[in-house]
Amino acid sequence: MQDFSAIINELFRSESRRVLATLIRALGDFNLAEDAMQEAFAAASADWESNGIPDDPVAWLISAGRFRAIDLIRREAQFRELLPGIVSRVEEITSRNMVVAGREIEDDQLRLIFTCCHPAIDPRIQVPLTLREVCGLSTEEIADAFLTAPATMAQRIVRGKAKIRSAGIPYVIPSRDELPDRIDAVLSVIYLVYNEGYSASMGSQLLRVELSSEAIRLGRLLVKLLPDPEVMGLLALMLLHESRRDARVDKTGDIVLLEQQDRSTWNYQFIEEGQRLVQQSLASRRIGAYTLQAAISAVHADATVASETDWHQIVALYDVLFQIDTSPVVELNRAVAVAMRDTPTAGLQLINGILDRGELTDYYLTHSARGELLRRSGDLVGAKVAFERAFELAKQDSERRFLAKRLKSLVNHREERDKN
């Protein structure tokens, strides 16, 4: 006997944002679409157990959501004046054949991303709004990514939805002439979604495969729409990172560092595709930050064992990247690469300089990297302090377990050293 509750829960996890994107386009209202989607999934729970799972569950849910929306409007007297327009839209879309509907469903999330990234919306709101409405990240997750209080982030998202409604921003993919003004925010959104899937900001699981897979799917759609060098660079970067996904955690879900990963488990089909895209992007001579990050990942992928990594080339690429993106995170990553090329002490000096400026003081990876370099340089006391600070700041369970192991190994090493 099928577990319909488990099936619907899995479908909600994997497909709810696609359903929502299409309902937003059809209904023209975020809140109405959200309510309609919830009711459609509730209807599925009752209907499918009696009548069986439809051949196309997503299309069924979208259709159910459209008509649930009409019911919701009818139940709300204050919205009755909207009914004719909504009904007209529903009938127009429902009348189209399944092939066209399926193709439009495929593009709806991309349409919604461009809508949320419209120039009329405050740039500070564009990316958080898209992460919430298109990708289903919680307000807390988005606030954490932007180092902002959840209440502040919630207010921004509400303002963004209100702006779309009041300004009548259309749910369309812009013309080619309009794309340059929108593409930077769209790329940022897709990469933030990928990062949340590749390394979750909080919770019990480091990897959220549904998010990273969705980001790559959107990246592929965007490359077809606009084969721009930076669009190709972003897709390459995601593919090269994703190639290492299965090697990043062990069977218990604990982190495995890059230098310790079993490279035979890497996805070399993704690596080959990613490297090809990097080469195409570099050949254009219009090189941006995503392409340079992808090139760095490609150098890592070239090494069959960690000891063969060309750290000189990686530092050189970071030097160029830092001219484009002077963020302290890029500076931190470059410092680690310098430590690998030269000595741990050389990297430590650079990381200490970042902290001395008051930057990245609350970023757990800064202290984790510093602790590792102190450990490698023999300063076990300093390493312990740094790892403890990283542990305090880390919010993801597997990251905290990794840091706890590092701290335990320091204690064991000191005890062994004291015996001798």
Side-chain angles (χ1 to χ4, degrees), residues 240-259:
L240 289 163
H241 281 336
E242 192 71 2
S243 71
R244 303 196 293 267
R245 185 185 69 204
D246 292 342
R248 292 186 62 237
V249 294
D250 62 19
K251 293 180 179 179
T252 63
D254 286 348
I255 294 172
V256 180
L257 295 178
L258 178 61
E259 61 187 326

Side-chain angles (χ1 to χ4, degrees), residues 138-335:
S138 70
T139 303
E140 289 75 16
E141 288 170 328
I142 301 167
D144 183 73
F146 285 85
L147 304 177
T148 303
T152 302
M153 187 55 69
Q155 291 174 352
R156 291 180 184 175
I157 292 170
V158 169
R159 287 201 302 273
K161 290 193 286 187
K163 182 65 177 181
I164 289 173
R165 185 171 56 252
S166 64
I169 295 172
Y171 296 89
V172 296
I173 293 173
S175 67
R176 187 167 290 273
D177 292 340
E178 296 173 313
L179 280 172
D181 293 334
R182 311 270 281 278
I183 199 65
D184 286 347
V186 171
L187 293 179
S188 295
V189 166
I190 293 174
Y191 193 42
L192 281 168
V193 173
Y194 180 79
N195 279 336
E196 184 62 27
Y198 185 73
S199 183
S201 59
M202 59 183 69
S204 60
Q205 292 185 322
L206 179 69
L207 307 178
R208 296 177 63 180
V209 178
E210 74 279 5
L211 288 179
S212 55
S213 297
E214 180 61 20
I216 289 172
R217 186 185 73 81
L218 292 171
R220 292 189 191 282
L221 281 176
L222 201 54
V223 166
K224 290 180 182 178
L225 177 70
L226 183 68
D228 178 86
E230 268 296 80
V231 178
M232 290 189 288
L234 174 60
L235 179 56
L237 177 59
M238 294 190 294
L239 288 168
L240 289 163
H241 281 336
E242 192 71 2
S243 71
R244 303 196 293 267
R245 185 185 69 204
D246 292 342
R248 292 186 62 237
V249 294
D250 62 19
K251 293 180 179 179
T252 63
D254 286 348
I255 294 172
V256 180
L257 295 178
L258 178 61
E259 61 187 326
Q260 297 165 343
Q261 290 175 11
D262 179 359
R263 300 186 178 214
S264 68
T265 66
W266 287 2
N267 185 326
Y268 284 91
Q269 183 177 345
F270 278 3
I271 290 173
E272 184 177 326
E273 183 182 359
Q275 289 179 326
R276 184 170 62 252
L277 286 165
V278 170
Q279 291 168 1
Q280 290 175 348
S281 184
L282 290 173
S284 73
R285 298 189 180 278
R286 292 188 288 124
I287 302 169
Y290 292 117
T291 297
L292 287 166
Q293 291 177 74
I296 291 167
S297 290
V299 175
H300 283 295
D302 281 336
T304 55
V305 293
S307 59
E308 293 178 357
T309 304
D310 188 346
W311 289 106
H312 286 83
Q313 186 176 358
I314 289 175
V315 172
L317 287 167
Y318 271 120
D319 288 341
V320 179
L321 176 59
F322 193 63
Q323 294 177 26
I324 298 172
D325 180 0
T326 57
S327 74
V329 173
V330 171
E331 194 175 355
L332 173 63
N333 292 335
R334 180 185 178 277

Side-chain angles (χ1 to χ4, degrees), residues 351-413:
I351 293 177
N352 288 339
I354 296 171
L355 292 171
D356 289 344
R357 297 199 308 266
E359 294 181 307
L360 301 184
T361 55
D362 292 331
Y363 186 46
Y364 97 91
L365 284 173
T366 310
H367 301 281
S368 179
R370 186 169 179 272
E372 182 62 23
L373 296 183
L374 286 166
R375 185 187 70 82
R376 295 187 183 199
S377 64
D379 184 355
L380 302 187
V381 175
K384 180 175 180 294
V385 173
F387 280 132
E388 285 174 340
R389 179 56 179 154
F391 184 85
E392 290 173 1
L393 294 168
K395 297 181 179 179
Q396 216 283 329
D397 291 353
S398 59
E399 293 166 349
R400 291 171 67 85
R401 290 197 302 272
F402 171 81
L403 292 165
K405 286 181 179 179
R406 274 289 190 263
L407 285 165
K408 184 177 180 180
S409 70
L410 285 176
V411 172
N412 293 339
H413 187 77

Side-chain angles (χ1 to χ4, degrees), residues 117-139:
C117 295
H118 193 279
I121 298 174
D122 186 334
R124 296 175 303 167
I125 295 175
Q126 291 175 357
V127 174
L129 176 63
T130 312
L131 292 174
R132 179 71 190 95
E133 300 303 325
V134 180
C135 308
L137 272 66
S138 70
T139 303

